[in-house]
Amino acid sequence: MKNKKENNITAMGKRILIVASVLMVLAGLVGMLLEVHKMSQDTDLTLVKHDIVGDYDELYDEYFPRHYHATGLLTLPFDDIVEPFEAWFAGDRNMSRIDYYYGMDKTIQRGDLGKHGILFKIVPMHSEMKPSNKDFMSCWYKPVPKWLPRAGQSVIPTNLSEFKFVSEETHRGMPCFKYERKYKRYNKSNVYSFYVTKNTPHRPLRYEMVGYDDMLTSHYDHYVLDYISFEPWSFNRSLLSLPKNSSCDKKAKKLRSHYLANPMAEYMHFKHHKDYELDKTYDDYKATHGKHYTTAPEHERRKHIFKHNLSRSDDDGEGFLCRYIRSKNRENLNYKLAPNHMADMTEQEVNLHKGLLHEKKLKKSKSNTLAFNESVVHTDLIPHQLDWRDYGAVTRVHSQGLCGSCWTFSALGAVEGAHFLKTGELLELSNQQLIDCSWPAGNHGCRGGFQDRTLRWVKRNGVTSRRDYGPYLAQEGFCHCGKSDNCTFTHISGFSKVKKNNSDALKVALVTHGPIVSSMNSDQKTFRFYSHGIYDDPKCGKKTNHAVLTVGYGADDNVPYWIIKNSWGHLWGDDGYIKIAMNHDRCGLTNGPLLAIKKDSSIAEFPLKTLNKVPRQSITFYSEEELSIIPF
């Protein structure tokens, strides 16, 4: 019995020693963690890699709340867009709301609704034929696809591990820490900068991306998010509910919109997995073109599209970006390709960037067809080449952005040219007014429109300048500039059709009437990635689906072409333009609608005789000093 008792005591002592040893180890670990924590406190927001907690890292949770309210400005200098926003974010509840332009447009993401979550878009619509201030709210919703997990949209990066501390600076009069993520691929250098207040509680001040082409020594991309206010937010479900006075129009729901998703997701930068060559290539592509996806599943889906879109063929699934581009460029074609922002888009998404609608039943009428005098074609009245940019009749290239509004850029380009011929003034007219106000004419805002109906609307109401109406928003807004508003309008007396399938008729129309409202087929990948040269892909069909503006014609090595102004920004194509081969009517340019604005009686029959050539407009990079903060 005594031996048994001694054995029990000995066993108990061993257990006590084991427990004491474990406690000592734990104490040591706690001490190490406290030391690491102290070091992180001493370095103030030194961003290093941490284990990921959900879609966040530990550093985010240490310095920023999961629930917050923020206001700020999204600035796209190259597109002249300054977009005020206000955001409510409930990260752990998978909910968010972002208002743009002081509540005019709202996006609500609810991960708690539907099978995989639902995105809501609430925008104003206009029902009267004439411009007025009478708008009503319309809402559309879109179920979140299976591959996209339920999540709210943050307006600050939720994963900060890719950024490194750079310096302490003063930004907007406040001491702050600057963090950067630098990315370089070939001649493209991208810098993502994140400014955070030095004082606690820490607040974001600015998130900025600047892309620079070392070979061309010029900037190619730039966007800025300036945060005006940022504070913790006590969750309020009513702010994330649909407004009681909104209505979801059945017709609107059927019309697809590529702006239903939250546009802020395009600019937030998050961590993605990096594995093999494809991962590296795709990461380089995203950095070059400012692509940022909020979740790993969406990144993987886009990478898969990227791989298949840019392989040697549509179905082999092999090869990377450079293979397709280099393969096509090695064919010694009359044009060259280059990668752009469409490389990881589906065919459906690319189609949504067009926006041209056609009448289901065409009315046969010859009464408004432009008279064509064939006898002047081979005289000196019709020059061998013409580019209306050389005479100052074409405004700068703009990007329609995530909005199917190509019909507005096509129609107004011709109206701007007619106004120039009449007055000598190059005036930028308001695409946004047509998006906001021409619904009664049958147009559908960012979901498409008709060129002829648009010109009839302009004939009836006139169109105001971009300066008077306000900047282009790339989404639907409140219609204004009615009779009570002090807006200056440009009017047209009408328009005429140009004879179709006749290159000579289009040449004469260009010489006598200025830039012509046109359309073309834009389905081919070669068109999507066009860079320069004369585009003559024989696979480009004749059924037109994208509205453009024809501004001239010419020939290189006896290969004639049309000069086309696109609305996909100056980063696409040849500074926003493309040369389309005349032979075989490539892409159906003369097969689709061709509309010329009726000339004022004061304009000469052949106005080129009275005009002198002028220097081309140059693309300007805007410095930070020029991007002043607008009070929220």
Side-chain angles (χ1 to χ4, degrees):
M1 182 68 68
K2 183 179 178 180
N3 291 336
K4 185 176 182 181
K5 185 176 181 179
E6 289 176 352
N7 291 337
N8 289 338
I9 293 173
T10 302
M12 184 179 295
K14 289 182 178 179
R15 285 196 293 268
I16 292 173
L17 287 173
I18 291 172
V19 171
S21 299
V22 170
L23 289 175
M24 290 177 65
V25 172
L26 289 175
L29 288 174
V30 170
M32 290 175 62
L33 290 173
L34 289 174
E35 189 64 29
V36 171
H37 179 73
K38 182 180 178 182
M39 290 173 62
S40 67
Q41 293 295 311
D42 293 340
T43 54
D44 280 307
L45 274 175
T46 299
L47 300 182
V48 296
K49 291 186 179 296
H50 290 273
D51 291 331
I52 304 303
V53 182
D55 286 331
Y56 305 78
D57 59 23
E58 294 175 355
L59 200 59
Y60 175 93
D61 283 330
E62 185 175 350
Y63 292 102
F64 298 118
R66 288 283 183 102
H67 291 195
Y68 63 76
H69 169 255
T71 62
L73 295 172
L74 168 61
T75 303
L76 308 179
F78 284 150
D79 295 328
D80 290 339
I81 293 178
V82 179
E83 194 166 358
F85 67 86
E86 183 173 13
W88 295 264
F89 180 68
D92 53 3
R93 295 175 182 263
N94 290 326
M95 300 181 188
S96 67
R97 167 180 162 181
I98 303 180
D99 291 4
Y100 298 91
Y101 299 103
Y102 309 103
M104 181 178 67
D105 292 59
K106 302 177 177 66
T107 55
I108 298 175
Q109 296 190 197
R110 292 285 298 272
D112 60 323
L113 300 178
K115 189 174 181 180
H116 303 289
I118 292 180
L119 311 180
F120 292 96
K121 176 79 171 175
I122 304 168
V123 298
M125 292 181 67
H126 188 68
S127 59
E128 295 188 355
M129 180 60 72
K130 293 184 177 182
S132 70
N133 297 324
K134 296 181 180 180
D135 299 281
F136 66 93
M137 301 308 295
S138 175
C139 69
W140 310 305
Y141 68 88
K142 179 180 181 181
V144 175
K146 183 178 181 180
W147 54 265
L148 181 62
R150 298 180 296 178
Q153 174 59 55
S154 175
V155 297
I156 62 173
T158 56
N159 188 325
L160 306 178
S161 61
E162 294 185 356
F163 290 78
K164 293 183 179 180
F165 175 77
V166 174
S167 61
E168 292 189 20
E169 299 185 1
T170 299
H171 185 73
R172 300 202 321 244
M174 288 179 278
C176 68
F177 299 107
K178 180 181 179 181
Y179 302 89
E180 283 186 352
R181 178 182 182 274
K182 293 184 177 180
Y183 203 93
K184 184 177 178 67
R185 179 68 172 174
Y186 301 120
N187 57 297
K188 297 290 184 13
S189 301
N190 292 350
V191 178
Y192 304 88
S193 302
F194 191 42
Y195 298 81
V196 182
T197 59
K198 180 178 180 180
N199 298 329
T200 56
H202 299 287
R203 295 191 300 110
L205 292 177
R206 168 172 282 201
Y207 179 71
E208 180 176 21
M209 181 273 187
V210 175
Y212 192 80
D213 191 315
D214 300 315
M215 183 178 296
L216 299 178
T217 63
S218 64
H219 294 86
Y220 70 89
D221 196 13
H222 187 201
Y223 59 79
V224 180
L225 274 81
D226 282 306
Y227 306 96
I228 298 174
S229 66
F230 185 91
E231 62 275 329
W233 171 56
S234 297
F235 179 72
N236 183 348
R237 186 177 293 272
S238 63
L239 285 173
L240 301 174
S241 302
L242 288 176
K244 294 181 180 180
N245 62 346
S246 65
S247 61
C248 290
D249 185 84
K250 293 181 180 179
K251 183 178 180 181
K253 284 191 291 186
K254 291 181 181 179
L255 293 170
R256 296 175 298 175
S257 173
H258 48 301
Y259 216 63
L260 284 172
N262 198 329
M264 190 63 69
E266 293 290 323
Y267 309 106
M268 284 294 96
H269 191 83
F270 295 84
K271 177 180 172 61
H272 301 290
H273 298 289
K274 298 179 177 67
D275 295 311
Y276 304 105
E277 183 182 357
L278 176 60
D279 299 307
K280 176 64 175 174
T281 305
Y282 185 51
D283 285 338
D284 293 345
Y285 164 79
K286 290 193 305 172
T288 299
H289 295 283
K291 298 269 188 170
H292 313 298
Y293 299 116
T294 58
T295 65
E298 184 181 4
H299 166 78
E300 290 300 316
R301 174 178 180 269
R302 294 292 176 177
K303 183 175 69 175
H304 181 75
I305 296 170
F306 172 83
K307 178 179 178 179
H308 283 268
N309 272 351
L310 278 303
S311 60
R312 288 184 183 272
S313 66
D314 289 344
D315 54 5
D316 61 14
E318 298 296 332
F320 306 119
L321 182 63
C322 293
R323 288 187 182 178
Y324 178 81
I325 300 298
R326 290 174 179 172
S327 175
K328 296 300 294 185
N329 289 341
R330 282 196 299 266
E331 293 179 18
N332 196 29
L333 303 172
N334 289 320
Y335 59 93
K336 298 296 182 182
L337 306 183
N340 58 36
H341 61 289
M342 293 184 172
D344 64 351
M345 292 182 182
T346 65
E347 293 299 320
Q348 181 183 19
E349 288 172 323
V350 173
N351 290 338
L352 291 172
H353 280 75
K354 299 167 187 176
L356 177 64
L357 302 180
H358 290 289
E359 303 287 355
K360 292 183 179 180
K361 295 183 179 179
L362 298 177
K363 297 180 180 180
K364 295 182 179 180
S365 174
K366 296 182 180 180
S367 59
N368 63 342
T369 300
L370 189 68
F372 170 45
N373 185 357
E374 194 171 357
S375 63
V376 303
V377 172
H378 300 293
T379 68
D380 58 359
L381 294 173
I382 307 301
H384 294 295
Q385 60 183 21
L386 168 66
D387 189 338
W388 278 109
R389 291 177 291 177
D390 293 334
Y391 297 90
V394 184
T395 58
R396 56 185 172 159
V397 171
H398 288 284
S399 171
Q400 65 189 72
L402 298 175
C403 177
S405 57
C406 60
W407 50 279
T408 69
F409 291 90
S410 173
L412 288 189
V415 177
E416 290 166 344
H419 178 80
F420 171 80
L421 292 179
K422 179 180 178 181
T423 66
E425 176 191 26
L426 185 60
L427 179 65
E428 288 191 336
L429 301 176
S430 176
N431 304 87
Q432 191 62 42
Q433 185 184 30
L434 296 182
I435 294 173
D436 297 346
C437 303
S438 68
W439 295 81
N443 295 323
H444 300 297
C446 281
R447 292 161 296 153
F450 301 85
Q451 296 162 302
D452 54 346
R453 295 187 187 186
T454 300
L455 291 178
R456 291 190 189 97
W457 188 91
V458 172
K459 177 184 177 182
R460 177 172 180 171
N461 301 292
V463 60
T464 190
S465 66
R466 177 182 287 239
R467 178 185 61 247
D468 285 354
Y469 194 84
Y472 178 70
L473 308 181
Q475 58 182 315
E476 296 88 347
F478 293 119
C479 177
H480 53 280
C481 270
K483 290 184 178 180
S484 60
D485 299 312
N486 187 25
C487 297
T488 302
F489 287 84
T490 296
H491 295 270
I492 62 173
S493 59
F495 62 94
S496 301
K497 296 178 181 178
V498 178
K499 187 176 181 181
K500 295 174 64 174
N501 300 310
N502 191 312
S503 295
D504 289 339
L506 180 53
K507 279 186 181 181
V508 173
L510 281 165
V511 172
T512 57
H513 286 71
I516 300 297
V517 178
S518 312
S519 61
M520 60 181 296
N521 184 284
S522 59
D523 288 339
Q524 293 301 310
K525 289 180 184 177
T526 49
F527 178 84
R528 197 178 310 169
F529 304 121
Y530 168 83
S531 174
H532 60 277
I534 301 176
Y535 183 74
D536 60 354
D537 189 340
K539 294 182 179 179
C540 192
K542 288 183 167 49
K543 185 177 181 180
T544 63
N545 54 18
H546 180 52
V548 294
L549 182 71
T550 303
V551 301
Y553 58 88
D556 288 338
D557 295 329
N558 296 319
V559 179
Y561 58 81
W562 303 110
I563 304 172
I564 305 298
K565 181 185 180 185
N566 202 355
S567 53
W568 291 350
H570 72 270
L571 300 178
W572 177 88
D574 190 355
D575 286 333
Y577 287 81
I578 183 173
K579 295 177 180 178
I580 297 287
M582 286 189 193
N583 296 335
H584 308 291
D585 189 27
R586 287 291 179 243
C587 304
L589 187 77
T590 66
N591 186 56
L594 298 168
L595 306 175
I597 306 301
K598 286 188 177 180
K599 292 195 300 185
D600 186 83
S601 59
S602 62
I603 302 174
E605 182 179 2
F606 295 94
L608 286 175
K609 292 183 176 181
T610 63
L611 298 174
N612 296 316
K613 291 188 175 182
V614 297
R616 298 267 185 95
Q617 288 184 337
S618 61
I619 299 171
T620 304
F621 173 73
Y622 297 85
S623 64
E624 181 178 334
E625 289 71 20
E626 294 174 292
L627 303 177
S628 58
I629 299 296
I630 301 174
F632 195 86

